[in-house]
Amino acid sequence: MAEEIDPHDDEAALRARLATLTNAIRTHRPPEDAPQADTARQTNDSGSQMSMGLRAGSEFVAAILVGGAIGWGLDWVFHSKPLFTILFFLLGAVAGVINVIRATSPKGGNFVADSRLSGESVEDKDVPRGEPR
Amino acid sequence: MAGEAGPAINPIEQFSLLKILHITVGPFDVSITNSTIYMMIAVGLSCGLMAIGARGTTGAPTRLQAASEMAYEFVAGMVRSAAGEHGMRFFPMVFCLFIFILMCNVVGLIPFSFTVTAQIIVTVLLALMVFCTVVVVGIKEHGLHFFKLFVPSGVPIYILPLVVAIEIISFLSRPLSHSVRLFANMLAGHITLNVFGGFCVMLLSAGAVLKVVSVLPFAMIIGLYALELLVAFLQAYVFTMLTCMYLNDALHPGH
C-alpha cells in the first residue's frame, strides 16, 4: 500500500467511522443475547426434534449392550456364568432409561424426570443450554 | 450407488473396501483403499472451502466465503452454548470433526461414490477419540475430582453403589451410541436408496406395463435423497453436539 496520504490519519478516520457505524448498528439491533438465543431455538426446532428421536433409541440400546457386555465380562472372569450378565443387563436397562431422560431433559438445568417426552408442563423445557453446570 | 444394471443387485456391495494401492509396513497393511481416497477427498474439500473462505477479505463475501463463515459460526455457537466459553479451547477439534463428517456424508451421497461414515471402524475411531479426550482432559483438569461425574450429589448412601454402577454404564455407553448412531444412519440410508434403485432397474427390465410402474420407486428415490441430505447434515450436527456436551462434562464434572 504505497499511498501519499498519511496512513495513520487515514486509519484513524476509518476506525472512527467504523466505531460510529458499529454504534448505529447496535442501536438498531435488539440486545446482544436475543439473536443468539433465537438462532439456537431455530436449530432446536428444525433439526433437533428429529435428531432427538434418532438419539433416544441408540442411547437406550447402547446402555443395555454395554451393561450386558460388562456383566458377561465379569462372568467370564469369575466363572459365575449367568449371575453378573443378568444383573448388569438390568442395570444397563436402567442406565438406558436414564440416558434417554437425560437426553430429553432441558439442558443446563437439573436432571428432571418431567422431560420433553412427557408433554408441555415444564416451563423452561425448550430453553437452550445456558450456563454450564 | 443407486443404479448398477444387472440381474442381481446387491445393496451392500457399495460398502466393500477395494484396495487400490498395496502398501505394507512391517506387519501392518496400510494399503490405499477407496475409503482412504474418499477421506482424502473430504479433507481436501474441507481445506479448500476454508482456504477460499479465509482468503477473501475485501468487499462483499462470495458464496464460498459465506458458507465457510456460516460453518464457523455454527460450530462456534454450538461449542459456546454447550460447553461454555471455556470450551472454545476445543473448538479446533470440534470443528474438524464436524466438517470432516459433514463432507464425508455429503460426498457419499454422490452416486457411485463411497461413504466413509458408513464404515463402523471410522465412526468408532472418531467416537473413541472424543471419549479419550474427555477422559484425559477431565482427569488432567480435575484429577480424581473428575470421578465425581459418577457420584451424583444428594443420593442416600445405601443406594449409592447402585447409582454409581448405573452412571458408569451410562458413561461407557457413550462411545457406543455415539458411533453406532452415525454409522447406522448412513448405512441404512444408503441401503434404502440402493434397494429402491434396484426396484427401478428390475421393473424397467421386466416388461412394457411394468416400465410405467418404475416411476414410483424413482419418485421414492428423489424423496429419499432429500431426506438423506437432511440426515447427512443432521448426523454431523448430532455428532458434534454430543461431542460438545461430553467435553462439557470433562470441563465441569459433578452435576
Side-chain angles (χ1 to χ4, degrees):
Chain A
M1 291 276 179
E3 284 186 24
E4 268 80 62
I5 325 161
D6 184 16
H8 294 289
D9 221 36
D10 207 27
E11 213 180 296
L14 262 176
R15 206 155 276 169
R17 254 186 82 193
L18 187 67
T20 49
L21 279 174
T22 312
N23 273 332
I25 289 171
R26 198 166 289 156
T27 51
H28 278 92
R29 228 188 230 166
E32 202 59 33
D33 292 337
Q36 245 194 341
D38 218 43
T39 49
R41 185 156 305 173
Q42 246 171 25
T43 46
N44 247 12
D45 276 349
S46 58
S48 286
Q49 300 293 337
M50 191 172 159
S51 65
M52 188 70 73
L54 296 173
R55 260 183 74 188
S58 59
E59 298 271 5
F60 184 64
V61 174
I64 295 180
L65 288 181
V66 167
I70 291 174
W72 193 80
L74 287 176
D75 273 342
W76 187 71
V77 171
F78 296 118
H79 303 286
S80 54
K81 203 56 188 176
L83 177 65
F84 285 114
T85 311
I86 293 170
L87 202 67
F88 276 81
F89 186 84
L90 293 176
L91 283 179
V94 176
V97 173
I98 288 182
N99 274 351
V100 172
I101 293 174
R102 206 166 267 163
T104 51
S105 307
K107 311 294 188 292
N110 282 329
F111 162 80
V112 283
D114 197 4
S115 76
R116 215 178 244 240
L117 292 180
S118 60
E120 293 290 326
S121 55
V122 180
E123 212 175 11
D124 60 346
K125 157 151 84 118
D126 285 326
V127 175
R129 179 178 272 258
E131 288 302 304
R133 285 164 284 171
Chain B
M1 242 180 351
E4 315 87 305
I9 292 149
N10 182 359
I12 57 168
E13 194 196 315
Q14 54 175 330
F15 303 114
S16 51
L17 285 172
L18 307 167
K19 279 186 195 176
I20 290 167
L21 196 68
H22 291 257
I23 306 170
T24 42
V25 177
F28 302 109
D29 184 0
V30 289
S31 304
I32 304 279
T33 61
N34 48 356
S35 174
T36 325
I37 288 178
Y38 277 99
M39 279 190 224
M40 286 175 185
I41 291 174
V43 171
L45 282 175
S46 332
C47 292
L49 177 69
M50 288 303 131
I52 290 170
R55 199 184 52 189
T57 47
T58 51
T62 60
R63 277 180 223 174
L64 280 175
Q65 189 186 337
S68 60
E69 280 170 9
M70 252 163 71
Y72 172 86
E73 291 283 332
F74 181 69
V75 179
M78 198 152 46
V79 175
R80 283 207 184 92
S81 68
E85 198 58 45
H86 209 52
M88 283 302 277
R89 271 194 301 162
F90 298 101
F91 176 78
M93 188 187 98
V94 175
F95 186 80
C96 286
L97 272 176
F98 175 75
I99 205 88
F100 178 71
I101 295 171
L102 182 66
M103 285 294 172
C104 286
N105 290 353
V106 172
V107 166
L109 277 178
I110 299 168
F112 300 108
S113 70
F114 180 84
T115 318
V116 178
T117 39
Q119 304 288 325
I120 194 159
I121 188 69
V122 175
T123 60
V124 162
L125 219 66
L126 292 174
L128 279 181
M129 188 182 88
V130 172
F131 185 75
C132 293
T133 311
V134 167
V135 173
V136 168
V137 168
I139 291 176
K140 203 179 134 214
E141 292 269 305
H142 304 278
L144 289 176
H145 227 66
F146 173 67
F147 294 102
K148 275 188 97 173
L149 193 65
F150 303 129
V151 190
S153 50
V155 174
I157 192 84
Y158 46 89
I159 58 165
L160 200 61
L162 202 64
V163 172
V164 169
I166 290 167
E167 288 286 340
I168 289 174
I169 293 173
S170 166
F171 186 73
L172 291 178
S173 73
R174 282 170 173 189
L176 189 71
S177 64
H178 207 183
S179 57
V180 166
R181 184 180 312 114
L182 176 61
F183 155 74
N185 272 288
M186 299 320 289
L187 186 87
H190 283 263
I191 289 178
T192 321
L193 281 175
N194 206 297
V195 166
F196 276 95
F199 287 164
C200 244
V201 173
M202 281 190 278
L203 284 170
L204 275 177
S205 59
V209 186
L210 289 174
K211 261 183 193 157
V212 182
V213 187
S214 75
V215 172
L216 295 176
F218 189 71
M220 190 72 188
I221 292 176
I222 296 173
L224 280 174
Y225 241 97
L227 180 73
E228 281 307 305
L229 199 60
L230 175 69
V231 168
F233 171 75
L234 216 57
Q235 286 306 318
Y237 166 71
V238 169
F239 196 97
T240 323
M241 187 70 210
L242 286 174
T243 303
C244 294
M245 285 168 63
Y246 296 164
L247 284 171
N248 181 47
D249 277 348
L251 295 171
H252 315 278
H255 15 191

